[in-house]
Amino acid sequence: MASAGSVSSLDDFSNDDSWETELEIALLRNADLAEVKSICQLRPVPSRLRRDLWRLCLRIESTSVGMSNFTDIYDLQCQEQLHSECNKAAAEVLSRLSQMDSSETDLVEEPPTAFHLSSVFESVLTHFSQTYSIPFVPGNGWIQLLSTLYIVLRPTDREDLYLYFISVYHRFIASGTKGSLHACNAFRLLLQYHEPELCNFLDSHKLGPEMYAKTWFDSLFANHLSNDALPAMWDIYFLLGEPHFGMLVALILLVNAKDNLMQKEKTIGREVTEETFSLGDSDDDEAGDSESFVLPKSREHRQSNIE
């Protein structure tokens, strides 16, 4: 049993916010990353300090090649869809910025127009796709990554945004056209080792990680977390600097949903349908603070619907 003194010390640690002041001072004097990590101790940071923290963690190299060689030729196979998604994302970003407190946005100038911001997003993603020969696929998470980075970092121009985007992508997302599939294969081995029963259950319904975890890994969960929860999670991601952290998060999500998944087996037999499971502790479906993820239908179920 823990002593009263140890319990008190834990309470003091959880309630003490002096570390925030220490972090703010460290960021102002350009402390190194090791010192900042020791101050944060893997805690989500206040929104007012997030911009400086992320810029420090992502460490843009002075020799990085930006968009100076971009030809402004927009000829991707899915260019029209990219253009449409960038228009939508720009409008959503500006709407979110208008609703945020001024201390969070750190605005020093008038926000850009939706047309200008959409053009910036499309330029960045087009150049990225052309440079690294990675095709844009609707729903692959690039838009959500870019939007979140823009809101937090408030880049000075499209080159600044591009450099931070490629820093996040190359540090934390499996690269290459088949990178995410390799990540899914590795995750299945992790799931099989820690939860063989759950892994076999999903395999029996032809629900491999590429069907539910691929979008988690491709977007760093940007497609599945709320606007408040996502930056806090990325604080931990960037402080750790560990790309495999997402696999541990995914494993926890599945383990927490295991009972619900296995219950579906009892109630509807061998058919697994699309179902939403709470990621929070509350069983109240009306609780607005809980996050959720969606487990897709099995291939057999989708094929039967088509036939």
Side-chain angles (χ1 to χ4, degrees), residues 50-191:
R50 184 163 285 134
R51 178 187 185 187
D52 291 336
L53 176 73
W54 285 17
R55 285 181 176 270
L56 175 64
C57 291
L58 296 176
R59 303 190 300 281
I60 298 300
E61 302 292 340
S62 58
T63 57
S64 298
V65 177
M67 297 190 63
S68 57
N69 58 344
F70 181 44
T71 60
D72 284 291
I73 296 177
Y74 301 85
D75 59 355
L76 301 182
Q77 185 174 357
C78 295
Q79 193 72 55
E80 185 175 344
Q81 291 169 293
L82 175 59
H83 178 77
S84 176
E85 290 199 19
C86 287
N87 283 339
K88 181 180 178 181
E92 291 176 351
V93 165
L94 293 177
S95 175
R96 286 175 57 186
L97 287 175
S98 67
Q99 297 170 12
M100 293 171 66
D101 185 84
S102 58
S103 62
E104 294 182 273
T105 58
D106 194 26
L107 287 173
V108 294
E109 298 178 353
E110 287 295 318
T113 63
F115 175 80
H116 175 74
L117 186 56
S118 175
S119 176
V120 168
F121 284 0
E122 187 173 3
S123 298
V124 167
L125 296 181
T126 298
H127 184 52
F128 173 77
S129 180
Q130 292 171 342
T131 300
Y132 295 98
S133 300
I134 303 176
F136 168 77
V137 178
N140 65 356
W142 291 5
I143 299 289
Q144 289 74 18
L145 281 171
L146 206 63
S147 297
T148 304
L149 289 173
Y150 183 86
I151 289 173
V152 173
L153 296 177
R154 294 313 314 276
T156 55
D157 52 33
R158 70 180 187 178
E159 175 145 347
D160 194 31
L161 179 60
Y162 175 79
L163 290 175
Y164 281 106
F165 177 80
I166 62 173
S167 177
V168 170
Y169 191 91
H170 292 317
R171 289 176 190 272
F172 301 103
I173 297 176
S175 60
T177 55
K178 296 184 179 180
S180 57
L181 294 180
H182 294 323
C184 288
N185 290 336
F187 175 69
R188 184 189 173 279
L189 295 176
L190 183 68
L191 180 63

Side-chain angles (χ1 to χ4, degrees), residues 38 71 221 259:
S38 68
T71 60
F221 297 86
D259 291 342

